[in-house]
Amino acid sequence: MIAQMIAPFGSWKSPITSDVIVAGSISIGGIMFDAEDIYWLEGRPTEGGRNVLVKRSPDGTMSDITPQPFNVRSRVHEYGGGSFLVVAGIVYFVNFSDQRLYQQLPDQTPQPLTPEGNRRYADLILDKKQNRLICVSEDHSNNGEEPENTIVSVDIKTGQIEILVKGHDFYSSPRLSPDGTQLAWISWDHPNMPWDGTKLWLGHMEEDGSLGKIISVAGNTDESISEPKWSPDGKLYFSSDRMGWWNLCFYSKKGVIISLFPLNAEFAYPHWVFGLSTYTFTSANQIICTFSQDGRWVLASLDVQKRQLSILDTPYSNIASLDAYNGQIVLIGGSPTEATAAICLNMKTGETLTLKRSTDLKVDPGYLSIPQLIPFPTENGLTAYAWYYAPQNKDYIAPEGELPPLLVKSHGGPTAAASSNLSLRVQYWTSRGFAYLDVNYGGSTGFGRDYRQRLEGQWGIVDVDDCVNVAKYLVEQEIVDGDRLAISGGSAGGYTTLAALTFRDTFKAGASYYGVGDLEALAKDTHKFESRYLERLIGKYPEEKEIYQARSPINFTEQLACPVIFFQGLEDKVVPCNQAEMMVEAIKEKGLPVAYVAFEGEQHGFRRAENIKHALDGEFYFYSRIFGFEPAENLQPINIMNL
C-alpha cells in the first residue's frame, strides 16, 4: 500500500481533469424504440454542442443518423426537448439553426418539411390516418409581440401547416389515441408555469382531420397535469398532483379521474422541456414507471388491474426517458458511482445492456466521493435537504487540524432538483480537496407540491436561507472551514448565489453562471415561457415593484463584501448578458476582486467543450487565488480585477 501524501485541501492532484471531462463526455437524452431499433440524442461538446441522433440496430451496430451540420434541437420555450420522432425508419426532427422540421428517409439526406420562417416546433407525433405530423408550434412572426403558441398539423407531402388548437398561452403533449379518433393535450396560461396549474383536454378527431367536440378532462390553476399517454387498449393516463404529489391516474369511461396507486412520491418531472417520459406500457395492464422519494428515483412495475406497485431492482438512482417494445425497456439511468447511460432492460430474461455511456472515463473508486443525503434544520422550524460530498482522493490526506473549503451549489430552475447521479464536474472539486453541497432548497422538485410552494412569493429568501443554513450546519458540525465557504449557481441558481453573497455574510466567495442580478430587468426582458414566472415567485410587476427592487442584488452592491466571478453566454435569451455586465461594473467600482468570462456563441448554458473546460478551470483558479491554495495543475490564468 502506497502511503498517502499530506497536502492542503484544494492542492490535491486529481486524474479527473477538465480535459478528460470534456474530451470524453456527452449528454444523452430522448431515448425511444422504433420497432427493434433504438434511437437517442447525443449532445457532443467536441462538435460545438451539436445534438446528433444515434441509432442502435438489433445486431448491436450503432450509427449517426443526422449528418453534419444538422443539430437536432428545438427552441420552443427556449429550453426545447421533444425534437425528433422515428416511425418505420423515417426520421422527423427539428434543426436548431433554422427551427424547420425535416424528414429523413433511410440512408438519405434530410429534406425540409416546413418553409423558412419564424415558426418553431416541438413534441412531434405522427397521425398515420391523415399522413401528417401533429406538434406544438411557437410562432415568432408577430413583430415583437409575444409569440403565439398553438398545436398544429404538418402535411408530410406538402408541408402545409394547419392550426388545430389555439387560444391558450402554452401547449404541450399532443397525444393521439391508438385508433386515431381522439387527441389529448395539455394547456396552461400566464402567470402559471406547468408545475403550478395545467389543464388536460380531449378532442374528437373528425374524418377530415379537424377537431370536433372538445372536453376538459382534468386540471385547473392549482393542479398540475403532465405526461398524458394512451394505453394499448385506448385508456387515457396522466400524472396529477391534486393530492400533493404527482401520481399516476387514468380517465374512466364514466368521466371519473382514478388514482392508480396513491403514494407520497413524485411520478413526474417538472415540465421544463418537452418529451419527458417517466412511465410506459408493456401491456394494457402493466406500466413500467419511475418515481422519486427523498431525492432518489427507483424503477417499478404497476399492475393496473390489481393496483399493485412492485419495485424493480436496479442500480440506478436517477431514471428518465422510459420507452417499451416487445418486453424490453429503454431508459436513461445513472447512480452515484455510474455515469448517465442509455440502458436497455430485457423484462423476460432480466438482462441489462448498457447501450452508450455519457463518458467512457473509468475512474478509480478511490477518487469518487459518494453523496450523502442531509436533512437539515432551516427557517420556521422546517427541514430542507442537500446532497453532501466529502473530499475524496486516495492519494492524499490534509494536514492535521485543517478543514476543507466548501462549495455550495444552488441549482437552477428554481423549480429543479439536485441529483445524486455521478457528475464528474462534482468529482472534479471533491478529488482536489473541496467539500461539495448540492442543495434541494425549498421550492425544489421531488418533495411534493407543498415543498415546491415554499418558494411562492419567497424567491431570494427561502432559497438563500436554505443555502446559508446548510453551510452553517456543516460549520457547526466542524466538517468544513467556515472561513472558506463559496457558493455557485447557474441561471436561477445564479440569482440565489448573488442574493446570498449580497444579503448575507456567510460566504466568502462565489460564482454566478448566467445568473440574475436585476429582477426588474428580468421581468422586463426575458422570453415568453418565463415572462410571468416571477409573479408567483416574487409578486406582480410593476404593482409590486418595490419587492423586485428590494431583492435585486444589483441595487445593494454596497452590501457585497466578497469576490465574485461571472460566466456568461453572449447569445443568452433567457438571462441576457447585460445582467452580468451591470453586476461586474458595480463590483469593480467598489474595488472588490471580480472576474467576467464571456463566451461568444453560447446561449443559456454552455455546450462547447472549450468553454466548459475554461469555465470549470476558471472557477477553480478563482477560488485558489481567493482562498490562498496552490492548484496541482498549471491552470490558465483569468483576469481578476481588483485582486
Side-chain angles (χ1 to χ4, degrees):
M1 180 179 293
I2 300 175
Q4 289 179 302
M5 292 176 280
I6 300 175
F9 289 115
S11 65
W12 299 352
K13 185 173 180 60
S14 169
I16 307 173
T17 65
S18 59
D19 284 322
V20 166
I21 290 172
V22 299
S25 295
I26 60 172
S27 64
I28 300 175
I31 192 166
M32 66 171 61
F33 279 106
D34 176 40
E36 296 286 347
D37 295 325
I38 303 171
Y39 291 81
W40 63 84
L41 278 181
E42 294 184 6
R44 299 175 178 172
T46 54
E47 295 185 27
R50 188 171 80 97
N51 288 332
V52 182
L53 187 62
V54 177
K55 170 186 171 182
R56 185 188 188 277
S57 302
D59 63 3
T61 303
M62 288 196 291
S63 54
D64 289 357
I65 299 300
T66 46
Q68 289 272 18
F70 290 100
N71 182 1
V72 184
R73 182 179 159 206
S74 170
R75 286 192 63 187
V76 177
H77 297 175
E78 295 299 338
Y79 296 104
S83 56
F84 77 95
L85 175 71
V86 188
V87 180
I90 300 175
V91 175
Y92 307 92
F93 69 90
V94 181
N95 183 46
F96 178 70
S97 62
D98 56 14
Q99 288 299 292
R100 297 169 75 182
L101 277 173
Y102 284 75
Q103 181 186 58
Q104 184 176 358
L105 300 177
D107 303 318
Q108 295 190 25
T109 303
Q111 299 297 320
L113 272 180
T114 53
E116 294 181 347
N118 294 305
R119 281 189 182 271
R120 303 174 182 181
Y121 307 91
D123 226 348
L124 320 176
I125 61 169
L126 179 66
D127 182 356
K128 293 181 181 179
K129 185 182 293 186
Q130 301 291 336
N131 196 33
R132 63 184 181 176
L133 296 175
I134 296 176
C135 59
V136 173
S137 170
E138 191 172 79
D139 188 353
H140 288 252
S141 60
N142 46 4
N143 297 322
E145 297 296 321
E146 197 172 66
E148 181 184 24
N149 291 66
T150 56
I151 293 177
V152 303
S153 65
V154 180
D155 189 287
I156 289 175
K157 287 187 177 180
T158 66
Q160 182 177 347
I161 299 168
E162 301 223 0
I163 295 176
L164 295 177
V165 186
K166 66 177 183 177
H168 289 280
D169 291 324
F170 301 98
Y171 292 95
S172 76
S173 314
R175 299 295 181 260
L176 199 61
S177 62
D179 62 5
T181 63
Q182 297 181 90
L183 182 71
W185 68 90
I186 287 174
S187 73
W188 66 97
D189 294 299
H190 288 312
N192 275 341
M193 298 299 284
W195 44 86
D196 296 324
T198 59
K199 294 197 75 170
L200 175 62
W201 302 88
L202 187 58
H204 176 74
M205 195 71 75
E206 303 289 358
E207 285 298 318
D208 64 357
S210 63
L211 279 173
K213 181 182 178 181
I214 296 174
I215 62 171
S216 173
V217 173
N220 54 53
T221 56
D222 294 312
E223 178 186 2
S224 172
I225 306 293
S226 65
E227 282 194 62
K229 291 186 180 182
W230 295 91
S231 65
D233 59 349
K235 291 179 182 176
L236 180 58
Y237 289 73
F238 54 93
S239 289
S240 166
D241 70 351
R242 61 172 54 196
M243 301 300 291
W245 300 80
W246 274 311
N247 282 189
L248 291 176
C249 304
F250 75 91
Y251 182 60
S252 74
K253 292 181 179 179
K254 297 179 181 180
V256 178
I257 307 302
I258 298 175
S259 180
L260 285 168
F261 193 87
L263 190 66
N264 287 354
E266 302 281 39
F267 286 76
Y269 284 94
H271 184 93
W272 279 103
V273 297
F274 294 95
L276 297 170
S277 180
T278 57
Y279 70 101
T280 187
F281 295 92
T282 56
S283 69
N285 294 317
Q286 186 187 37
I287 294 173
I288 302 298
C289 57
T290 183
F291 65 87
S292 173
Q293 281 186 317
D294 296 329
R296 292 181 176 89
W297 289 83
V298 298
L299 194 67
S301 174
L302 179 56
D303 188 307
V304 172
Q305 287 185 324
K306 296 179 181 178
R307 308 285 174 82
Q308 291 180 346
L309 187 75
S310 303
I311 304 299
L312 301 177
D313 185 25
T314 76
Y316 315 116
S317 58
N318 202 59
I319 300 170
S321 200
L322 301 181
D323 197 20
Y325 178 78
N326 194 26
Q328 297 182 96
I329 306 294
V330 288
L331 56 86
I332 307 297
S335 76
T337 57
E338 291 290 335
T340 298
I343 307 292
C344 182
L345 306 177
N346 190 314
M347 303 300 290
K348 299 174 184 176
T349 66
E351 179 187 9
T352 299
L353 181 63
T354 299
L355 307 174
K356 185 63 178 286
R357 299 184 188 278
S358 59
T359 177
D360 292 325
L361 178 64
K362 301 295 184 183
V363 180
D364 187 312
Y367 298 107
L368 294 182
S369 178
I370 306 301
Q372 173 189 353
L373 183 66
I374 296 181
F376 62 91
T378 190
E379 303 302 307
N380 302 312
L382 297 173
T383 298
Y385 303 90
W387 292 106
Y388 173 67
Y389 297 79
Q392 175 61 36
N393 186 316
K394 69 174 186 176
D395 301 326
Y396 292 91
I397 57 172
E400 186 176 352
E402 183 184 358
L403 294 175
L406 172 68
L407 179 59
V408 172
K409 176 65 180 298
S410 173
H411 66 66
T415 309
S419 166
S420 64
N421 212 36
L422 175 64
S423 166
L424 293 180
R425 297 189 201 184
V426 173
Q427 304 296 331
Y428 173 99
W429 295 95
T430 57
S431 61
R432 285 166 172 74
F434 266 71
Y436 192 100
L437 265 175
D438 211 347
V439 187
N440 273 315
Y441 50 78
S444 301
T445 299
F447 302 89
R449 187 178 180 94
D450 287 346
Y451 196 87
R452 287 202 310 276
Q453 291 184 329
R454 286 187 189 181
L455 212 56
E456 290 198 357
Q458 299 296 306
W459 193 33
I461 298 174
V462 165
D463 49 324
V464 172
D465 283 339
D466 288 353
C467 289
V468 166
N469 286 335
V470 70
K472 288 182 175 179
Y473 178 77
L474 291 189
V475 171
E476 290 166 1
Q477 302 291 318
E478 298 185 348
I479 295 173
V480 299
D481 184 350
D483 291 326
R484 294 191 291 174
L485 303 178
I487 183 170
S488 175
S491 190
Y495 166 68
T496 301
T497 293
L498 293 173
L501 295 171
T502 303
F503 302 121
R504 307 288 195 278
D505 60 3
T506 303
F507 297 102
K508 310 306 178 185
S512 170
Y513 287 74
Y514 35 92
V516 180
D518 186 344
L519 292 173
E520 276 195 276
L522 184 65
K524 296 174 184 177
D525 183 16
T526 191
H527 60 133
K528 178 184 176 181
F529 180 59
E530 294 181 270
S531 63
R532 303 276 294 278
Y533 189 15
L534 300 188
E535 285 192 23
R536 276 192 181 246
L537 294 175
I538 299 171
K540 290 187 177 181
Y541 188 86
E543 293 89 331
E544 297 177 271
K545 181 178 181 178
E546 293 80 8
I547 300 176
Y548 282 74
Q549 293 174 338
R551 294 192 200 166
S552 293
I554 188 67
N555 298 328
F556 299 92
T557 53
E558 74 279 0
Q559 296 182 29
L560 243 171
C562 68
V564 190
I565 185 170
F566 293 80
F567 298 93
Q568 181 70 40
L570 293 179
E571 295 183 13
D572 193 337
K573 303 299 183 185
V574 178
V575 180
C577 58
N578 64 336
Q579 291 266 326
E581 290 163 0
M582 288 189 294
M583 287 292 295
V584 169
E585 282 304 309
I587 298 172
K588 179 182 174 183
E589 289 182 13
K590 192 177 179 184
L592 287 169
V594 63
Y596 180 50
V597 182
F599 297 119
E600 293 277 358
E602 292 284 15
Q603 293 92 39
H604 197 62
F606 307 147
R607 292 172 172 82
R608 298 180 180 178
E610 64 273 20
N611 296 338
I612 295 170
K613 168 186 167 57
H614 190 40
L616 189 57
D617 285 342
E619 186 179 353
F620 188 74
Y621 175 86
F622 183 76
Y623 296 146
S624 75
R625 302 280 72 82
I626 302 305
F627 290 152
F629 61 83
E630 196 61 40
E633 296 134 315
N634 185 21
L635 300 176
Q636 178 184 348
I638 57 172
N639 178 32
I640 304 175
M641 297 169 277
N642 298 329
L643 185 63

